[in-house]
Amino acid sequence: MITLNGIGASPGTAEGMLLCFRRRVFAGPPRPVGTVEQEKERFHTALRQADIQLQQLCRDTAADADEACAQVFEIHRMMLQDQDYLQSVEELIEQKGKGVEYAVEETSRIFSNAFLTMESATMQARSADIQDVSSRLLRILRGEEEKPLSLPFPVILAADDLRPSETVQLDKKKLLAIVTSEGSRNSHTAILARTMGIPAIVRLGDVFTAAMNGKRAAVDGSAGTLWIDPTDAIYEIIRAKSSDLDARRQQLQQYKGLPSVTKDGVSVRLMANVGSVEDCEAAMENDAEGVGLFRTEFQYLGASAYPGEEELFRCYRAAVETMKGRPVTFRTLDIGADKQAPYLSLPEEANPAMGIRAVRLYLARRDLMRTQLRALYRASVYGQMAIMIPMIDSVWELQEVRVAARLACRELGAEGIPFNPDVPIGTMIETPAAALISDELAKTADFFSIGTNDLTQYTLAADRQNGAVSPFYDARHSAVLRLIRMAAENAKAAGIPVSVCGDLATDLTMTDFFLSCGVTTLSVPPKMVLPLRERVRSLVIGRQEGPLPPPGESREGGV
Ligand code: PEP
Ligand code: MG
């Protein structure tokens, strides 16, 4: 038996077979540019391979009765036969003596910009398709794998590290646990595991080899221990722990339906953090009073092509309907940093956590913002919702999004599509700047939600992805806590609700701090809602409060 210790990233136990996943690494030197004929030949071979892949994708998606998706791949096939596109790539090879990779990248840039400047929304949307299909060609030219990781049967998945886009595409029914050599407790992959309730351990060291594939293993996600070829005694320990967890889950059922109020009458709303409609079901099962954070980017990360308005609308409508009148707070697209969708073809950045991420991408790519806002407003008539903007630093950024929201509503109105104009629009507080100007932001935001994961990383200059700096990444650092208090007090002074939706909300030793600051909502992974309610009901805060403000009301009569 081998015993390995890492950092517990998501609690729970598992036993099963180990599947070691190694991403192929393409770190070779750049390929020298060949002759014009060689480069053109490579281009045409890549075109043929792309067409085969796209035909397969059309067949697969049509078989899954996903007609809209199948159509997208048909459009991509047509794009690869477009004479202007082919000519542009060939001319760059012939006239500029460039390699085919450069020629495809440059053509993609020129064509996608041209589509973006067109009047019609349908033509603008083609911009993302051109980028997507060009990325496919580039992956083929570079010999990169593009298949999502597929699990043959229920396994404990071992990897160096997993990207959020890989994790989100995994079949949860076949995922017993995730164990990684690297990673960090604060990465989005770890957050996803906690949201899905799947045990996970990170930073086990460089131990996984192909020889370990198929070995039996056991996982304790709370202790951060992985056993390979466990003895019977270990199996007994794991099973005992698992039945303790079941008993604890059973005991927590008594808190369902009870008010989330302290012994001295301070009320708080307990909501759930989710990333999918399936997670909303888990939120309901755990009696969450709503969704405090719907990470909408996971739908984008799980897709092989840019999700269109219809697909987004279907997801948002299903989410609000699943929550049966309980409010759903949709956080708009927070792509960038560790969350990358290849079809968006975002430029590489030296320091992506400080680059074009979240609202910055929204403002740079108006097509993305418009499509998502339209889909959200279309879903707004099917339940209660709020819209929340990530990574806000300045008031003008929030104002820009409000203007775009107003435009989306005007368009829907002109098309005769029903929507609720009074959806509250709030901001995340996840940079020190946002906390420091929270008095000003409170005049434009209908509510605040404090994202302690990023607030910690940006306040302490400690990368949340990098396990090596985890001793410096301390969400309970007094600098972070002062910023939280400042934002909560400014929200209270302005009479708007304030939530904490970052991971620190799951720390039950911090609940009294949050309530004493005047936090009105705590939002946590579904499985944490009932333990948190138990905790709230045991506390005495020592401050008297009136009733909670409503869960965010829109200002100025709506958008
Ligand atoms: C946060 O930063 O605390 C947050 C909730 O957002 P995310 O973890 O998705 O960046
Ligand atoms: Mg964040």
Side-chain angles (χ1 to χ4, degrees), residues 331 357 430 454 464:
R331 196 227 351 239
R357 177 186 167 186
E430 48 188 348
D454 278 313
R464 61 190 275 190

Side-chain angles (χ1 to χ4, degrees), residues 5-20:
N5 286 306
I7 295 172
S10 178
T13 59
E15 52 181 276
M17 206 177 269
L18 209 58
L19 177 79
C20 298

Side-chain angles (χ1 to χ4, degrees), residues 233-421:
I234 295 295
Y235 277 129
E236 259 175 50
I237 294 173
I238 280 289
R239 285 169 198 165
K241 202 153 185 179
S242 155
S243 65
D244 284 353
L245 286 174
D246 286 346
R248 168 82 177 129
R249 230 167 270 141
Q250 207 46 47
Q251 181 233 339
L252 286 168
Q253 298 300 307
Q254 62 179 300
Y255 294 99
K256 283 190 178 171
L258 294 184
S260 308
V261 57
T262 64
K263 285 198 159 130
D264 53 346
V266 177
S267 292
V268 61
R269 278 192 191 84
L270 299 187
M271 299 214 188
N273 292 349
V274 305
S276 65
V277 175
E278 218 176 321
D279 296 341
C280 289
E281 286 161 19
M284 287 300 277
E285 275 159 32
N286 287 280
D287 195 30
E289 293 161 57
V291 167
L293 167 62
F294 191 122
R295 290 181 164 99
T296 62
E297 57 275 9
F298 290 142
Q299 190 183 4
Y300 291 76
L301 297 180
S304 55
Y306 178 80
E309 180 181 315
E310 198 55 36
E311 192 179 335
L312 297 173
F313 160 68
R314 281 204 302 267
C315 168
Y316 305 153
R317 175 180 172 171
V320 290
E321 286 181 342
T322 304
M323 293 308 294
K324 299 193 172 23
R326 300 181 187 201
V328 181
T329 315
F330 289 99
R331 196 227 351 239
T332 57
L333 196 54
D334 184 6
I335 283 213
D338 60 322
K339 291 179 281 193
Q340 297 286 343
Y343 55 86
L344 287 175
S345 300
L346 300 177
E348 281 215 356
E349 293 176 303
N351 204 346
M354 299 210 185
I356 299 295
R357 177 186 167 186
V359 73
R360 299 173 183 178
L361 177 65
Y362 230 39
L363 297 175
R365 291 282 307 268
R366 300 279 170 158
D367 54 328
L368 291 177
M369 171 154 70
R370 174 175 171 270
T371 306
Q372 189 176 31
L373 288 174
R374 279 179 59 101
L376 285 166
Y377 276 104
R378 279 177 61 192
S380 66
V381 290
Y382 295 93
Q384 209 191 326
M385 71 152 76
I387 296 176
M388 176 158 86
I389 317 300
M391 287 289 293
I392 291 282
D393 273 337
S394 309
V395 174
W396 69 264
E397 297 160 348
L398 191 56
Q399 280 166 341
E400 287 259 345
V401 181
R402 275 195 176 277
V403 170
R406 222 172 279 145
L407 283 176
C409 289
R410 203 172 295 158
E411 275 179 20
L412 293 177
E415 291 163 32
I417 298 174
F419 65 93
N420 171 10

Side-chain angles (χ1 to χ4, degrees), residues 79 81-91 107 111:
M79 284 178 161
Q81 290 154 22
D82 178 77
Q83 283 310 314
D84 292 337
Y85 185 90
L86 302 182
Q87 203 178 331
S88 163
V89 174
E90 293 197 342
E91 274 177 13
T107 301
F111 278 59

Side-chain angles (χ1 to χ4, degrees), residues 138-298:
L138 288 169
R139 283 197 300 271
I140 293 170
L141 287 162
R142 293 174 185 143
E144 291 176 7
E145 195 64 75
E146 80 118 25
K147 276 194 211 140
L149 179 56
S150 80
L151 306 178
F153 43 79
V155 292
I156 295 172
L157 183 65
D160 291 347
D161 199 3
L162 284 175
R163 298 179 185 138
S165 57
E166 288 162 343
T167 314
V168 83
Q169 291 186 59
L170 292 169
D171 180 352
K172 287 178 217 165
K173 289 186 214 81
K174 294 185 184 161
L175 190 59
L176 301 172
I178 297 172
V179 292
T180 62
S181 308
E182 298 156 22
S184 121
R185 221 197 152 269
N186 309 300
S187 70
H188 282 97
T189 293
I191 287 174
L192 262 169
R194 290 195 287 276
T195 306
M196 300 186 303
I198 289 170
I201 308 175
V202 296
R203 292 189 74 70
L204 283 156
D206 190 12
V207 287
F208 301 116
T209 59
M212 285 185 182
N213 257 329
K215 291 224 177 249
R216 308 233 21 113
V219 168
D220 181 344
S222 315
T225 309
L226 167 71
W227 295 272
I228 297 171
D229 286 332
T231 59
D232 287 348
I234 295 295
Y235 277 129
E236 259 175 50
I237 294 173
I238 280 289
R239 285 169 198 165
K241 202 153 185 179
S242 155
S243 65
D244 284 353
L245 286 174
D246 286 346
R248 168 82 177 129
R249 230 167 270 141
Q250 207 46 47
Q251 181 233 339
L252 286 168
Q253 298 300 307
Q254 62 179 300
Y255 294 99
K256 283 190 178 171
L258 294 184
S260 308
V261 57
T262 64
K263 285 198 159 130
D264 53 346
V266 177
S267 292
V268 61
R269 278 192 191 84
L270 299 187
M271 299 214 188
N273 292 349
V274 305
S276 65
V277 175
E278 218 176 321
D279 296 341
C280 289
E281 286 161 19
M284 287 300 277
E285 275 159 32
N286 287 280
D287 195 30
E289 293 161 57
V291 167
L293 167 62
F294 191 122
R295 290 181 164 99
T296 62
E297 57 275 9
F298 290 142

